[in-house]
Amino acid sequence: MGAAVDIGPVTLEAIANDATRRYDLRAVFGNDRPIELELGIGKGRFLIQNATDRQDVNFVGVEWASRYYRLVAERAAKRGLPNVRLIRDDAAHVVRDTIADDTIAVLHVYFPDPWPKSRHLKRRLIQPPFARQAARVLHDGGLVKLGTDHPDYAQQMEEVFLADADFEPVFRAVGPEAPVGVTNWETKFRAQGRTIHKFEFRRKPRR
Ligand SMILES: C[S@@+](CC[C@H](N)C(=O)[O-])C[C@H]1O[C@@H](n2cnc3c(N)ncnc32)[C@H](O)[C@@H]1O
Protein backbone atom coordinates (compact mmCIF):
# COMPACT_ATOMS: atom_id res chain seq x y z
CA MET A 1 0.00 0.00 0.00
CA GLY A 2 1.07 3.60 -0.52
CA ALA A 3 1.59 6.08 2.27
CA ALA A 4 -1.55 6.96 4.18
CA VAL A 5 -3.22 10.12 2.93
CA ASP A 6 -4.53 12.47 5.58
CA ILE A 7 -7.92 13.10 4.05
CA GLY A 8 -9.92 12.01 7.07
CA PRO A 9 -13.26 10.42 6.46
CA VAL A 10 -13.10 10.41 2.67
CA THR A 11 -10.77 7.43 2.49
CA LEU A 12 -11.50 3.82 3.25
CA GLU A 13 -8.08 2.20 3.16
CA ALA A 14 -8.69 0.30 6.37
CA ILE A 15 -11.68 -1.35 4.79
CA ALA A 16 -9.86 -2.27 1.61
CA ASN A 17 -7.01 -3.76 3.63
CA ASP A 18 -9.23 -6.18 5.46
CA ALA A 19 -9.75 -9.05 3.05
CA THR A 20 -11.34 -11.26 5.69
CA ARG A 21 -14.66 -9.43 5.87
CA ARG A 22 -17.11 -7.90 3.50
CA TYR A 23 -18.66 -4.59 4.37
CA ASP A 24 -22.11 -3.21 4.04
CA LEU A 25 -21.16 0.26 2.92
CA ARG A 26 -24.46 1.65 4.18
CA ALA A 27 -22.92 1.58 7.64
CA VAL A 28 -20.00 3.67 6.39
CA PHE A 29 -22.29 6.36 5.00
CA GLY A 30 -24.76 6.09 7.87
CA ASN A 31 -27.79 6.27 5.62
CA ASP A 32 -29.82 4.12 3.22
CA ARG A 33 -29.18 6.08 0.05
CA PRO A 34 -28.23 4.07 -3.03
CA ILE A 35 -24.52 3.36 -3.46
CA GLU A 36 -22.74 3.56 -6.79
CA LEU A 37 -19.28 2.08 -7.14
CA GLU A 38 -16.75 3.29 -9.74
CA LEU A 39 -13.68 1.16 -10.46
CA GLY A 40 -10.53 2.84 -11.79
CA ILE A 41 -11.57 6.45 -11.17
CA GLY A 42 -8.42 8.05 -12.63
CA LYS A 43 -8.58 11.78 -11.93
CA GLY A 44 -12.12 11.33 -10.63
CA ARG A 45 -14.03 13.65 -12.93
CA PHE A 46 -17.03 11.33 -13.18
CA LEU A 47 -17.08 10.60 -9.46
CA ILE A 48 -16.73 14.19 -8.27
CA GLN A 49 -19.19 15.59 -10.79
CA ASN A 50 -21.82 12.96 -10.05
CA ALA A 51 -21.35 13.21 -6.29
CA THR A 52 -21.78 16.98 -6.56
CA ASP A 53 -24.83 16.80 -8.82
CA ARG A 54 -26.57 13.87 -7.11
CA GLN A 55 -26.19 14.30 -3.37
CA ASP A 56 -28.98 11.79 -2.75
CA VAL A 57 -26.61 9.05 -3.94
CA ASN A 58 -23.47 7.76 -2.23
CA PHE A 59 -20.37 7.15 -4.35
CA VAL A 60 -17.43 4.86 -3.68
CA GLY A 61 -14.39 5.14 -5.95
CA VAL A 62 -11.62 2.58 -6.28
CA GLU A 63 -8.24 3.50 -7.71
CA TRP A 64 -4.97 1.62 -7.72
CA ALA A 65 -2.58 4.49 -8.47
CA SER A 66 -1.65 6.51 -5.36
CA ARG A 67 -1.16 9.65 -7.42
CA TYR A 68 -4.77 9.65 -8.69
CA TYR A 69 -6.20 8.38 -5.44
CA ARG A 70 -4.56 11.25 -3.56
CA LEU A 71 -5.67 13.81 -6.15
CA VAL A 72 -9.31 12.71 -6.01
CA ALA A 73 -9.28 12.37 -2.22
CA GLU A 74 -8.03 15.95 -1.95
CA ARG A 75 -10.65 17.21 -4.40
CA ALA A 76 -13.47 15.41 -2.59
CA ALA A 77 -12.26 16.64 0.80
CA LYS A 78 -11.89 20.21 -0.46
CA ARG A 79 -15.45 20.17 -1.74
CA GLY A 80 -16.67 18.66 1.52
CA LEU A 81 -18.66 16.00 -0.29
CA PRO A 82 -20.35 13.88 2.39
CA ASN A 83 -21.36 11.26 -0.16
CA VAL A 84 -17.89 10.19 -1.38
CA ARG A 85 -15.53 7.52 -0.10
CA LEU A 86 -12.38 6.24 -1.81
CA ILE A 87 -10.47 2.99 -1.63
CA ARG A 88 -6.88 2.72 -2.85
CA ASP A 89 -6.59 -0.87 -3.90
CA ASP A 90 -7.01 -3.35 -6.71
CA ALA A 91 -10.52 -3.12 -8.16
CA ALA A 92 -11.04 -6.87 -8.62
CA HIS A 93 -9.94 -7.53 -5.04
CA VAL A 94 -12.19 -4.82 -3.64
CA VAL A 95 -15.27 -6.15 -5.41
CA ARG A 96 -14.51 -9.79 -4.65
CA ASP A 97 -13.37 -9.49 -1.05
CA THR A 98 -14.73 -6.33 0.55
CA ILE A 99 -18.20 -5.53 -0.79
CA ALA A 100 -21.20 -7.25 0.80
CA ASP A 101 -23.88 -9.01 -1.24
CA ASP A 102 -26.74 -7.00 -2.71
CA THR A 103 -25.46 -3.57 -1.64
CA ILE A 104 -24.63 -1.71 -4.87
CA ALA A 105 -27.06 0.12 -7.19
CA VAL A 106 -24.70 0.86 -10.09
CA LEU A 107 -21.22 -0.34 -10.96
CA HIS A 108 -19.30 2.03 -13.25
CA VAL A 109 -16.21 0.93 -15.19
CA TYR A 110 -14.98 3.51 -17.69
CA PHE A 111 -11.98 2.94 -19.92
CA PRO A 112 -10.31 0.23 -17.86
CA ASP A 113 -6.76 -0.62 -18.94
CA PRO A 114 -7.12 -2.84 -22.06
CA TRP A 115 -3.85 -4.76 -21.57
CA PRO A 116 -3.45 -5.26 -25.34
CA LYS A 117 -0.48 -7.65 -25.30
CA SER A 118 -1.63 -11.25 -25.48
CA ARG A 119 0.50 -12.29 -22.50
CA HIS A 120 -1.26 -9.60 -20.40
CA LEU A 121 -4.86 -10.35 -21.41
CA LYS A 122 -5.50 -12.16 -18.15
CA ARG A 123 -5.01 -8.86 -16.33
CA ARG A 124 -8.18 -7.38 -17.83
CA LEU A 125 -10.77 -6.58 -15.20
CA ILE A 126 -13.84 -7.60 -17.21
CA GLN A 127 -13.74 -11.39 -17.23
CA PRO A 128 -16.34 -14.03 -16.31
CA PRO A 129 -15.40 -14.17 -12.59
CA PHE A 130 -15.83 -10.40 -12.41
CA ALA A 131 -19.35 -10.66 -13.84
CA ARG A 132 -20.17 -13.25 -11.17
CA GLN A 133 -18.96 -10.87 -8.47
CA ALA A 134 -20.85 -7.97 -10.03
CA ALA A 135 -24.03 -10.07 -9.88
CA ARG A 136 -23.34 -10.80 -6.22
CA VAL A 137 -22.83 -7.19 -5.10
CA LEU A 138 -25.54 -5.53 -7.22
CA HIS A 139 -29.14 -5.11 -6.11
CA ASP A 140 -31.81 -6.73 -8.25
CA GLY A 141 -32.24 -4.41 -11.22
CA GLY A 142 -28.83 -2.85 -10.54
CA LEU A 143 -26.71 -1.75 -13.48
CA VAL A 144 -23.19 -2.31 -14.76
CA LYS A 145 -22.13 0.60 -16.98
CA LEU A 146 -19.07 0.14 -19.17
CA GLY A 147 -17.10 2.23 -21.63
CA THR A 148 -14.00 1.60 -23.71
CA ASP A 149 -12.23 2.81 -26.84
CA HIS A 150 -10.60 -0.56 -27.37
CA PRO A 151 -12.51 -2.72 -29.94
CA ASP A 152 -11.24 -6.05 -28.69
CA TYR A 153 -11.93 -5.21 -25.05
CA ALA A 154 -15.38 -3.92 -26.07
CA GLN A 155 -16.13 -7.29 -27.61
CA GLN A 156 -14.88 -9.05 -24.49
CA MET A 157 -16.99 -6.83 -22.21
CA GLU A 158 -20.11 -7.57 -24.21
CA GLU A 159 -19.43 -11.30 -24.47
CA VAL A 160 -18.69 -11.65 -20.75
CA PHE A 161 -21.93 -10.02 -19.62
CA LEU A 162 -24.10 -11.58 -22.35
CA ALA A 163 -22.82 -14.98 -21.24
CA ASP A 164 -23.67 -14.40 -17.58
CA ALA A 165 -27.16 -15.69 -16.81
CA ASP A 166 -27.74 -13.05 -14.13
CA PHE A 167 -27.47 -10.12 -16.55
CA GLU A 168 -29.51 -8.79 -19.44
CA PRO A 169 -28.34 -6.15 -21.92
CA VAL A 170 -30.20 -2.83 -21.67
CA PHE A 171 -28.02 -0.42 -23.62
CA ARG A 172 -25.40 -0.60 -26.34
CA ALA A 173 -23.94 2.26 -28.39
CA VAL A 174 -20.89 2.55 -30.62
CA GLY A 175 -19.22 5.59 -32.16
CA PRO A 176 -21.47 8.61 -32.82
CA GLU A 177 -24.39 6.96 -30.99
CA ALA A 178 -22.44 6.65 -27.75
CA PRO A 179 -23.50 9.33 -25.25
CA VAL A 180 -20.69 11.68 -24.31
CA GLY A 181 -19.27 11.01 -20.87
CA VAL A 182 -17.12 13.16 -18.65
CA THR A 183 -14.12 11.05 -17.74
CA ASN A 184 -10.64 12.28 -18.63
CA TRP A 185 -9.84 9.32 -20.81
CA GLU A 186 -13.08 9.57 -22.73
CA THR A 187 -12.40 13.23 -23.44
CA LYS A 188 -8.88 12.37 -24.55
CA PHE A 189 -9.99 9.49 -26.77
CA ARG A 190 -12.77 11.51 -28.38
CA ALA A 191 -10.28 14.29 -29.18
CA GLN A 192 -8.17 11.63 -30.92
CA GLY A 193 -11.21 10.59 -32.98
CA ARG A 194 -11.34 7.12 -31.46
CA THR A 195 -14.54 5.07 -31.55
CA ILE A 196 -16.20 4.85 -28.14
CA HIS A 197 -18.18 1.77 -27.09
CA LYS A 198 -20.72 1.94 -24.25
CA PHE A 199 -22.70 -0.88 -22.66
CA GLU A 200 -25.17 -1.29 -19.84
CA PHE A 201 -26.28 -4.59 -18.36
CA ARG A 202 -28.99 -5.05 -15.76
CA ARG A 203 -28.83 -7.54 -12.94
CA LYS A 204 -31.88 -9.79 -13.19
CA PRO A 205 -34.02 -10.27 -10.08
CA ARG A 206 -32.87 -13.00 -7.70
CA ARG A 207 -35.41 -15.77 -7.41
C1 LIG B 1 -7.28 4.29 -18.60
S1 LIG B 1 -7.53 4.92 -17.01
C2 LIG B 1 -9.23 5.43 -16.99
C3 LIG B 1 -9.55 6.34 -15.83
C4 LIG B 1 -10.99 6.88 -15.80
N1 LIG B 1 -11.94 5.81 -15.59
C5 LIG B 1 -11.29 7.64 -17.05
O1 LIG B 1 -12.09 7.14 -17.86
O2 LIG B 1 -10.73 8.74 -17.20
C6 LIG B 1 -7.59 3.43 -16.00
C7 LIG B 1 -7.55 3.76 -14.53
O3 LIG B 1 -7.72 2.55 -13.78
C8 LIG B 1 -6.70 2.49 -12.80
N2 LIG B 1 -6.45 1.06 -12.59
C9 LIG B 1 -5.81 0.22 -13.41
N3 LIG B 1 -5.79 -1.03 -12.91
C10 LIG B 1 -6.46 -0.96 -11.73
C11 LIG B 1 -6.79 -1.90 -10.74
N4 LIG B 1 -6.44 -3.19 -10.88
N5 LIG B 1 -7.48 -1.50 -9.66
C12 LIG B 1 -7.85 -0.20 -9.53
N6 LIG B 1 -7.56 0.76 -10.44
C13 LIG B 1 -6.88 0.38 -11.52
C14 LIG B 1 -5.52 3.22 -13.39
O4 LIG B 1 -4.61 3.67 -12.39
C15 LIG B 1 -6.23 4.37 -14.09
O5 LIG B 1 -6.49 5.44 -13.22
Side-chain angles (χ1 to χ4, degrees):
M1 298 297 295
V5 182
D6 182 17
I7 310 293
V10 172
T11 62
L12 282 178
E13 291 200 69
I15 282 184
N17 282 337
D18 183 348
T20 60
R21 288 173 56 191
R22 287 177 176 151
Y23 291 82
D24 183 344
L25 290 166
R26 278 175 301 197
V28 171
F29 288 103
N31 60 50
D32 279 340
R33 294 179 182 154
I35 297 171
E36 301 195 9
L37 179 63
E38 186 187 5
L39 305 176
I41 58 176
K43 292 184 180 174
R45 246 204 237 168
F46 172 85
L47 193 83
I48 298 286
Q49 184 170 314
N50 277 269
T52 304
D53 294 348
R54 298 193 287 142
Q55 301 232 349
D56 52 343
V57 175
N58 293 319
F59 290 88
V60 177
V62 182
E63 173 55 50
W64 176 252
S66 302
R67 192 160 60 96
Y68 293 141
Y69 165 79
R70 180 185 293 265
L71 180 83
V72 182
E74 285 169 355
R75 282 183 182 164
K78 201 184 286 181
R79 292 183 182 219
L81 291 168
N83 57 336
V84 172
R85 298 291 187 279
L86 302 177
I87 300 171
R88 198 204 73 78
D89 213 326
D90 171 64
H93 156 66
V94 168
V95 173
R96 188 185 63 228
D97 300 324
T98 75
I99 308 292
D101 297 1
D102 193 4
T103 52
I104 302 297
V106 185
L107 190 52
H108 303 270
V109 189
Y110 301 126
F111 303 89
D113 292 345
W115 296 107
K117 292 182 183 161
S118 53
R119 69 177 189 278
H120 291 155
L121 286 178
K122 60 181 179 297
R123 297 187 189 175
R124 285 181 175 174
L125 178 65
I126 310 300
Q127 305 202 36
F130 176 81
R132 297 277 70 235
Q133 290 298 323
R136 183 183 64 74
V137 302
L138 282 168
H139 296 311
D140 289 1
L143 295 174
V144 179
K145 298 190 175 190
L146 304 161
T148 185
D149 68 307
H150 193 276
D152 182 69
Y153 203 5
Q155 188 180 338
Q156 180 168 335
M157 288 175 173
E158 194 167 29
E159 284 173 3
V160 162
F161 279 95
L162 286 175
D164 192 295
D166 284 332
F167 285 96
E168 58 188 355
V170 289
F171 182 77
R172 176 185 202 279
V174 180
E177 297 165 12
V180 178
V182 299
T183 75
N184 265 83
W185 284 77
E186 176 161 350
T187 304
K188 192 154 61 182
F189 289 140
R190 282 187 183 276
Q192 292 169 1
R194 299 187 66 95
T195 299
I196 305 295
H197 306 248
K198 298 250 170 117
F199 304 104
E200 293 181 21
F201 293 89
R202 181 161 46 217
R203 203 237 183 268
K204 293 179 190 168
R206 292 165 174 83
R207 284 167 217 293

